[in-house]
Amino acid sequence: MTHVSIKELSKTYPGSSEPALDRLSLEIPTGELTALLGPSGCGKTTTMKMIAGLLDPSSGDVLFDDRSVLDDKPEHRGVVMVFQNYLLFPYMSVADNVGFGLKMRKVPKPEIDRRVGEMLELVKLPDLGNRRPSALSGGQQQRVALARALIVQPNVLLLDEPLSNLDAHLRFEMRDLIRGLQQKMGITTIFVTHDQEEAVVLADKVALILDGQLKQYEDADVFYKRPVDEATARFFGGQNFIPGSSNGSVFESALGRLVLPEGAISGAGKLTVRPENIRINGLDKGENSLKAVVSERLFLGTQTRLRLLVGEEKIDAIANPNEVENLSVGDAVNITLPPSSLWVLPT
Ligand code: ATP
């Protein structure tokens, strides 16, 4: 049960002029799961290694329950880290792999056997204790790695892209398993991923890191409704960035005058609206309704993507295929941009 504070944590690798991580600050409450999200090379693994004690920061601090752990050796921090490539001991059985941490701690053999049995039940591998890791599928090996990490009841669990070697079906299954076990055991967890959907589904809070800098640290839904800038919006699948100016309640642009939600900034900016929030030929022809023409149409199975032209301005929308079945390129449509779906970004 540990509250993790990361304060102004920076790392510049020797020989590099740019920091790999630049003054990252995060508060992760006891028992919560935070996702560190960002593209390859943004500094996620660097952050994890500094929390685990595998890498010294250039500056900043890592505190567990308000006490700096920078001088603590990795094995004294109570942190375990699970990597994407499992790193199981190949010549040990599954049971010995899972029980390894307890053996190192000189826990009596009967207790190790009991706890290994419980752990294998929890990760749904009750009958595979005698196998070697090489005789398991990738998903099973990842569950063994998770069991081996959890059995020592760590203060902090670090998961570095643990699902990226698994196929889509197994990823869903593992995601649920990780979330379930993490909540049941109440372990403060940091989960690294480059996949925004994974971050959103798993985490209490998401920290988006781009180029070594924290962009936004919030509940997942805020990234969709109130992104801090265009790069953040784009990372979460945002499209449509229309230049113009805001007076805080109305946005003027090539689209005309559109009513904004409360809290929008004033001044020059870009209006953004997520493609899935645009209503096409709805009944509401009042506030923020515009006339548009369909210029492109792409059927993607569960959704249809439409490119619309409002005058010269392009707007991308995503619709339920049934609702736009009869629309063709060249058709005129009414679109509505509900004020609650609009947001103004600084330019
Ligand atoms: P990925 O998702 O690809 O694992 P990441 O977000 O975890 O990426 P890091 O591994 O933390 O990124 O790397 C951040 C930056 O630091 C990258 O530009 C990388 O090239 C650089 N870097 C990482 N390790 C070292 C090192 N040992 N020496 C020098 N530069 C490094």
Side-chain angles (χ1 to χ4, degrees), residues 3 19 41 47 56 97 113 132 154 186 307 325 331 347:
H3 176 107
T47 307
D56 290 329
N97 263 282
D113 291 345
R132 288 279 164 88
R307 174 152 288 177
E325 207 168 33
D331 284 355
T347 40

Side-chain angles (χ1 to χ4, degrees), residues 187-224:
I187 299 173
T188 311
T189 301
I190 304 174
F191 185 102
V192 159
T193 179
H194 60 269
D195 179 339
Q196 46 115 351
E197 188 192 322
E198 201 161 276
V200 165
V201 170
L202 266 168
D204 293 300
K205 270 177 132 184
V206 177
L208 177 67
I209 301 177
L210 298 179
D211 293 329
Q213 293 194 328
L214 181 68
K215 280 285 179 184
Q216 199 165 352
Y217 181 42
E218 308 256 20
D219 290 357
D221 62 322
V222 182
F223 288 86
Y224 295 87

Side-chain angles (χ1 to χ4, degrees), residues 13 20 39-46 161:
Y13 286 102
S40 181
C42 75
K44 306 181 297 290
T45 301
T46 300
E161 303 258 8

Side-chain angles (χ1 to χ4, degrees), residues 16-36:
S16 174
S17 54
E18 293 291 312
L21 189 73
D22 189 10
R23 287 164 294 156
L24 175 71
S25 294
L26 295 175
E27 295 293 328
I28 305 165
T30 300
E32 286 203 359
L33 192 156
T34 279
L36 288 190

